[in-house]
Amino acid sequence: MAVSQESFIEKYVCFVTKNPLLANEIEVGLKWASYIIAGRFSQSPVVTELIHCSSKLLTLLNDSILRKSAGIPINVNVTVEKLKTFLTVLEYSEVFAEVAAHRLSGTRAKWLTVVLIHLTKCAIRLLLLLSPVEGGLHLSPPISPLNRKKDVPGVVEQTPKSSIQPLKTNKVEVTFTLRSTGRVMRTLEAAPPLVSRSWKLPESNESSTSSNSFCRTPTKLSGDQLTGEIMYMFRPLVHLASMGIFGEFSWKPLFIALGIDVTSLHLLKQKKDFNKAEKQELSRRALLLILYLLRSPFYDQYSKQRIINTLQSISNNVMGSGLLLRPLIDYIPEWQQLYFYSWSS
């Protein structure tokens, strides 16, 4: 049994390294399947989240295989890499865990699951934030999916009996700096064919792989920025606690969470030297403030009927749109309860 299991794992690793784009199509297919079956039967929320969660975890697994094959570490520190991997798995599977707990054991089990997940996430994020190796803003997801055409273009085919080895690439310096003038020049080895040459300097190896997480140096936070990031990390727990005190459909938890989000963004945006990935994360957090319009109790009292009326008007007046929009209208209440809550981050 052990031999057959090892053989299966070896064959799967070889399949992914030989066919990274086909593996990506399978992942996308699973994700679309989760959207298609949504609202089709009574147990569809659990099945939908299971398939959606599986597609994300499969992407994480396949990316891990490709990173290992290409010799691309997630982080130079093994402990940080394991923490970020566990945190990514937790973020990908938290909605399924919540839905499954509610279906199996009721509301009390659901809230216990939610609290335990966010306590664990907050503890790991705090460890990463205070780590001398990692630090910096928390990115979502902690491990970004690979762009397989750009990040691992040199993944080589492996035979089923061979073990996966990191790629051996000859690193050629594309530029050098003159000692006397400090001018940056192109090396002869990096010169392109004559017909395609220009005066523009080529990108260095570091800049061409900047999309990989291991190439990004996190910006160390201190003072107000560190306070703002810690506020962002604790906001889900504060919101859950305020819901326990004031009630699930009270306005106070919503305003408390919104106040923490706005204050955190204000403190963090005072710092101007974030790297590109961290600037994108701040922009993402700012855009997520719009979701407060879809969160209870604002959604229940103001947004819900307007959204449904708009979709019904489109489905009644635009030919063919009803096939897509009518199931969506029926499933909107379920989606709102699953995804648009303030303790998510």
Side-chain angles (χ1 to χ4, degrees):
M1 180 64 70
V3 175
S4 62
Q5 185 177 357
E6 289 178 3
S7 176
F8 172 77
I9 293 173
E10 188 176 348
K11 288 180 180 178
Y12 181 76
V13 169
C14 290
F15 166 76
V16 174
T17 53
K18 288 182 178 181
N19 307 281
L21 298 182
L22 177 58
N24 182 68
E25 290 179 7
I26 295 173
E27 298 155 11
V28 173
L30 276 175
K31 189 176 294 186
W32 276 105
S34 70
Y35 297 141
I36 292 171
I37 68 171
R40 302 293 179 180
F41 49 93
S42 60
Q43 297 297 323
S44 66
V46 179
V47 178
T48 296
E49 287 308 318
L50 175 60
I51 296 175
H52 192 70
C53 166
S54 300
S55 71
K56 289 185 174 182
L57 294 178
L58 184 62
T59 300
L60 181 64
L61 172 63
N62 292 342
D63 282 352
S64 176
I65 292 171
L66 293 172
R67 280 190 173 98
K68 185 177 180 181
S69 176
I72 302 174
I74 295 171
N75 194 283
V76 293
N77 186 283
V78 177
T79 302
V80 169
E81 182 170 330
K82 289 181 179 179
L83 284 174
K84 292 183 76 171
T85 301
F86 181 70
L87 184 58
T88 305
V89 171
L90 204 57
E91 290 192 359
Y92 284 166
S93 56
E94 60 182 339
V95 178
F96 169 69
E98 176 188 335
V99 173
H102 186 256
R103 288 281 179 174
L104 291 174
S105 303
T107 304
R108 185 171 295 181
K110 166 194 167 181
W111 288 115
L112 179 61
T113 301
V114 170
V115 171
L116 288 176
I117 286 174
H118 284 282
L119 278 171
T120 306
K121 286 172 62 177
C122 185
I124 295 175
R125 289 177 179 178
L126 198 58
L127 284 173
L128 290 173
L129 177 65
L130 301 178
S131 167
V133 180
E134 183 66 13
L137 287 181
H138 167 74
L139 305 182
S140 184
I143 301 175
S144 300
L146 285 176
N147 184 332
R148 294 177 188 177
K149 290 184 178 180
K150 295 181 179 180
D151 296 342
V152 285
V155 172
V156 295
E157 294 187 356
Q158 304 286 338
T159 59
K161 294 183 180 180
S162 64
S163 60
I164 302 302
Q165 299 292 337
L167 292 180
K168 295 181 180 179
T169 56
N170 295 324
K171 294 185 177 180
V172 178
E173 294 295 331
V174 295
T175 62
F176 67 95
T177 305
L178 297 177
R179 293 182 180 179
S180 56
T181 62
R183 183 175 180 180
V184 180
M185 303 290 290
R186 188 204 311 268
T187 62
L188 291 176
E189 291 84 355
L194 185 62
V195 293
S196 59
R197 291 182 187 176
S198 67
W199 291 104
K200 184 178 179 181
L201 287 173
E203 291 185 354
S204 63
N205 291 333
E206 288 78 6
S207 62
S208 63
T209 57
S210 60
S211 59
N212 293 321
S213 59
F214 71 98
C215 291
R216 293 193 297 259
T217 302
T219 304
K220 296 299 179 181
L221 303 177
S222 60
D224 289 344
Q225 288 72 46
L226 182 61
T227 302
E229 185 64 7
I230 292 175
M231 288 177 66
Y232 178 77
M233 290 181 176
F234 278 91
R235 190 257 295 151
L237 295 176
V238 173
H239 181 257
L240 287 168
S242 62
M243 286 176 63
I245 295 172
F246 301 111
E248 185 177 350
F249 298 101
S250 171
W251 284 90
K252 292 179 181 179
L254 184 75
F255 286 129
I256 290 172
L258 179 60
I260 294 175
D261 267 338
V262 172
T263 305
S264 171
L265 272 173
H266 174 71
L267 293 175
L268 288 169
K269 286 199 170 183
Q270 293 176 3
K271 191 175 182 66
K272 304 299 182 182
D273 57 344
F274 286 116
N275 61 42
K276 183 178 179 181
E278 291 168 336
K279 289 178 180 178
Q280 290 175 346
E281 172 63 20
L282 289 177
S283 298
R284 186 192 71 87
R285 294 183 189 181
L287 286 174
L288 286 181
L289 294 178
I290 299 174
L291 294 184
Y292 279 92
L293 300 177
L294 300 175
R295 290 169 175 165
S296 299
F298 189 94
Y299 169 81
D300 301 316
Q301 298 187 25
Y302 296 100
S303 306
K304 180 179 179 179
Q305 202 56 47
R306 288 177 173 82
I307 293 171
I308 291 176
N309 289 341
T310 300
L311 293 177
Q312 285 179 340
S313 176
I314 294 173
S315 65
N316 293 334
N317 295 298
V318 178
M319 185 179 299
S321 62
L323 293 173
L324 177 64
L325 294 182
R326 289 192 186 98
L328 178 62
I329 293 170
D330 294 336
Y331 203 66
I332 278 178
E334 192 78 38
W335 271 344
Q336 194 271 335
Q337 293 178 12
L338 288 177
Y339 304 114
F340 299 110
Y341 36 57
S342 299
W343 65 81
S344 178
S345 55

